[in-house]
Amino acid sequence: MISNILVALSIFILTILAVFFDEPLSAEARATLAMVPDRTTHRAVLYRAGLNAPENLDPFIYGQYMLWGSSSSGTTSHPGALQAIESQGLRSPRGPFFCSLYEDSGCWSQISAINTETLTALEKDHATLLNRYQTWLKISDAKNETIGLTPENSVPVEHLSGAHRLVVLRAFHDAAQGQAMASSERLQTTIMDLRQHFTLADDFPAKLIVADLIDESLQVASVISQTHQVKIPSISPLTAQEKDLSVAMAQQFRKVSHFFLSIDGINFSRPPPQENSLAWAVRSLAMQRLVYKPKQTSNRAHEALRFWVKASRASPADFIRLMSQEIHDNNFKQAWDQWRNPLGHIVGQLAEPRFKLSIIRLQQLDITILMFNVTQEQPIDKLSSKALANPYGQGAPATLSANRSALCMPSPDLIHSEATCLRLAV
């Protein structure tokens, strides 16, 4: 009888502990939080953030101000700099030649037909921005390993993509003037420079934006190659280091874990009149602990982060295997977390789709490079079944679009993504 009571009491105590008590923050999670400094010292990041600086101001100074509100020394570097910083920056390129290649069906025809007069006017109008873009491409941070926390607004997207479009317009124009090979070579150099920044990109927005610039360069090089019958040397596939998202994910983990931990101990409403505030706080915290455990939420987010870091480095075929494994594994742990920490289980999973979508985008870029290379090695009409095989290891092979303007590789159903297409003609 007594033994039964002790067993029941032990089960009751363990249940109370399981329901109400959080777990300590794991050593791995603490190490990741300590991995990312408060600020970045990457020259490329600072210059990129200041790409749209006013005409008379150094982009490095403007970038520091845009990211942190001051220069690296905490002050502006010369008299009048603060006034310049607070003035309006460069205009971003606008107009029909800066349309979306992926959303505007007439965009390819528009940009490929650029004439000399229009291009000259655009390059003159945005000469400072174009010069800064070319300078940024050549900045090397390979020896600088201090990758710090970067705000989400570290990329002036319209200026970066607009400057790159000017490079693309010049490539189309010169190719039409009989300089297709020279245009292709300049695009190759641009791709190499962008891949240097792609490898060192330390946040999700920068990584994905640079991926889009590389992709646009590949698409344009492909169109020029097929239109003007010039062959371009093969482009090396993305390396595991280039696809690696560990630093970007560490930044993201620091941001979300700060949010998870900041909820700890919050009272969701004021204590009613004539009720002891301490008693109300204790009861409020106890009720909160029934549905939310901040440290457990952070620990599970870190475990997910480690999985996605591994997935980010994988080849397309290995990525699909990992996705299949993720669906079927850890069912018991997820059920346990959902029971103990229902709110934390929901909140902790919100960031994961962003990881998956980012990795899929990098896989698609790798597949675009693969398709680009095979179309340079073999005539379009004679592509072998091996060349058309799906690199994911499952799913249909690549096919030509109905109007033969693109070669498209279907994505497996598992990742619920559109086909990856390489443009062949405007």
Side-chain angles (χ1 to χ4, degrees):
M1 180 66 179
I2 294 178
S3 61
N4 291 338
I5 293 174
L6 291 175
V7 169
L9 183 60
S10 299
I11 293 174
F12 175 76
I13 292 173
L14 290 173
T15 302
I16 293 296
L17 291 173
V19 169
F20 283 101
F21 284 87
D22 200 355
E23 61 190 40
L25 198 62
S26 70
E28 293 85 358
R30 292 197 304 272
T32 299
L33 291 175
M35 167 183 164
V36 184
D38 286 334
R39 297 190 176 189
T40 182
T41 60
H42 264 221
R43 294 173 63 250
V45 172
L46 296 174
Y47 195 93
R48 184 188 69 210
L51 207 64
N52 59 332
E55 193 85 32
N56 59 341
L57 191 64
D58 187 334
F60 282 115
I61 296 174
Y62 193 70
Q64 291 169 19
Y65 180 83
M66 294 303 292
L67 293 180
W68 314 117
S70 66
S71 70
S72 57
S73 62
T75 61
T76 53
S77 62
H78 60 80
L82 181 60
Q83 290 79 1
I85 283 172
E86 292 177 341
S87 65
Q88 188 173 7
L90 294 180
R91 291 181 298 106
S92 61
R94 300 285 178 87
F97 292 100
F98 301 92
C99 49
S100 171
L101 293 174
Y102 307 100
E103 298 175 4
D104 185 343
S105 59
C107 191
W108 279 102
S109 298
Q110 181 78 18
I111 67 173
S112 63
I114 185 80
N115 60 50
T116 302
E117 183 181 359
T118 303
L119 178 59
T120 301
L122 285 172
E123 289 179 335
K124 182 179 179 180
D125 196 25
H126 300 288
T128 300
L129 178 62
L130 184 57
N131 181 63
R132 287 174 177 175
Y133 178 68
Q134 299 289 1
T135 299
W136 172 74
L137 284 175
K138 299 300 181 182
I139 295 176
S140 174
D141 267 332
K143 296 181 180 179
N144 186 349
E145 298 180 356
T146 306
I147 299 178
L149 194 66
T150 307
E152 294 290 333
N153 63 346
S154 66
V155 187
V157 179
E158 289 186 348
H159 293 80
L160 190 61
S161 60
H164 183 77
R165 180 57 59 83
L166 291 171
V167 173
V168 163
L169 292 170
R170 171 55 66 180
F172 268 128
H173 173 271
D174 290 355
Q177 300 300 313
Q179 302 177 45
M181 182 55 72
S183 290
S184 299
E185 289 173 352
R186 286 197 297 272
L187 283 171
Q188 276 190 297
T189 300
T190 299
I191 290 171
M192 292 172 60
D193 291 338
L194 283 169
R195 286 180 69 164
Q196 170 185 272
H197 292 278
F198 182 71
T199 303
L200 296 171
D202 50 353
D203 58 70
F204 278 111
K207 193 83 172 179
L208 297 181
I209 290 165
V210 176
D212 286 343
L213 299 184
I214 295 171
D215 184 81
E216 182 172 314
S217 301
L218 282 167
Q219 304 286 349
V220 173
S222 175
V223 170
I224 290 175
S225 170
Q226 298 298 327
T227 303
H228 299 280
Q229 300 301 304
V230 296
K231 293 300 178 185
I232 303 174
S234 295
I235 295 174
S236 59
L238 297 181
T239 64
Q241 182 185 9
E242 286 177 296
K243 294 163 74 173
D244 181 34
L245 286 172
S246 57
V247 175
M249 289 183 183
Q251 279 208 30
Q252 188 68 15
F253 176 69
R254 175 168 166 170
K255 292 173 183 176
V256 299
S257 65
H258 176 76
F259 169 73
F260 295 155
L261 298 174
S262 69
I263 299 176
D264 190 20
I266 292 178
N267 294 320
F268 293 101
S269 59
R270 295 179 180 178
Q274 299 179 345
E275 180 163 355
N276 183 277
S277 59
L278 178 61
W280 174 261
V282 170
R283 189 164 80 247
S284 175
L285 183 58
M287 290 302 296
Q288 180 177 300
R289 280 291 182 271
L290 280 172
V291 296
Y292 180 67
K293 297 169 180 62
K295 294 186 178 66
Q296 183 189 21
T297 305
S298 292
N299 286 340
R300 297 300 178 269
H302 190 268
E303 290 172 8
L305 177 144
R306 288 189 295 175
F307 170 83
W308 291 112
V309 166
K310 182 179 179 181
S312 75
R313 299 167 179 158
S315 66
D318 288 340
F319 175 67
I320 289 297
R321 282 194 287 270
L322 285 169
M323 290 300 96
S324 178
Q325 170 189 326
E326 174 69 2
I327 289 173
H328 296 101
D329 288 359
N330 299 323
N331 288 333
F332 175 78
K333 177 178 282 190
Q334 291 180 5
W336 172 254
D337 289 345
Q338 198 164 1
W339 177 75
R340 285 196 70 234
N341 186 23
L343 179 59
H345 179 74
I346 294 170
V347 172
Q349 288 186 320
L350 293 180
E352 289 199 44
R354 188 181 184 188
F355 292 161
K356 181 179 178 181
L357 291 173
S358 300
I359 295 169
I360 290 172
R361 181 68 190 91
L362 303 190
Q363 298 292 351
Q364 289 175 324
L365 178 58
D366 211 11
I367 291 171
T368 301
I369 293 173
L370 182 152
M371 291 193 293
F372 178 87
N373 288 337
V374 299
T375 57
Q376 295 302 309
E377 295 164 1
Q378 303 174 29
I380 298 299
D381 293 330
K382 298 181 180 179
L383 288 174
S384 65
S385 57
K386 181 179 179 181
L388 296 172
N390 200 309
Y392 286 114
Q394 55 181 268
T399 57
L400 285 170
S401 62
N403 60 0
R404 302 175 65 83
S405 66
L407 180 67
C408 295
M409 186 74 71
S411 295
D413 294 337
L414 183 62
I415 61 176
H416 306 291
S417 179
E418 295 181 356
T420 304
C421 293
L422 175 71
R423 195 81 182 188
L424 302 174
V426 295

